[in-house]
Amino acid sequence: GGEPRAAIAATLADGAVVWCTHLGLRDEWRATQTETLAAAIGPPPMEAGLPVLLAGDFNAPVEAGEIQQLLAQTGLHAQGEDDGPTFPSATPLVRIDHLLARGVVRLDSGVRADSGSDHYLIWADLEWPSPQTSALR
């Protein structure tokens, strides 16, 4: 139901996987979408694995049940939630844009008002161990 939504993943040269998504507006749509994402991302490996990042407009706060279920199933952790609200950009009241990750260290993060969008831009400097240390911004 509702608008078509999608997720896309890219595997970086060092094996880290970066996902981007835009989830639906209704709870029941997001529940189905996050179940599908959790299955695609998979649970964390028993041993230290390669990093996984999932970023996007979740249309819900990280405390929402469907987002908490996604975190529990994948071992992802919210990054930079204390950086402030992201929506609406005219007067941000709630954070519905998130960066979720596992296997990373957050060096810095924030929100920016000059995105030209109806949302504030979220950003993070991340580091993870790999064959050669990587950073993503």
Side-chain angles (χ1 to χ4, degrees):
E3 296 177 81
R5 301 297 177 157
I8 188 168
T11 302
L12 305 181
D14 66 0
V17 180
V18 179
W19 289 82
C20 186
T21 192
H22 187 182
L23 299 182
L25 297 172
R26 297 180 62 181
D27 296 351
E28 62 271 19
W29 299 343
R30 286 191 308 275
T32 300
Q33 293 161 350
T34 54
E35 285 176 25
T36 302
L37 271 171
I41 293 169
M46 293 301 289
E47 67 284 346
L50 293 168
V52 175
L53 294 87
L54 170 61
D57 177 355
F58 287 71
N59 274 310
V62 77
E63 298 82 16
E66 64 276 13
I67 308 301
Q68 288 296 305
Q69 186 66 29
L70 173 67
L71 297 176
Q73 292 175 331
T74 60
L76 297 170
H77 300 278
Q79 307 290 316
E81 290 295 308
D82 54 348
D83 293 330
T86 60
F87 184 80
S89 62
T91 308
L93 301 172
V94 65
R95 186 175 183 114
I96 60 173
D97 304 281
H98 308 289
L99 172 61
L100 312 178
R102 69 179 188 225
V104 305
V105 174
R106 178 172 55 113
L107 303 174
D108 196 8
S109 62
V111 296
R112 290 183 51 165
D114 59 349
S115 67
S117 169
D118 60 336
H119 297 247
Y120 275 17
L121 171 79
I122 61 172
W123 63 269
D125 284 332
L126 306 172
E127 186 174 80
W128 56 85
S130 66
Q132 49 185 275
T133 300
S134 300
L136 173 69
R137 183 171 188 172

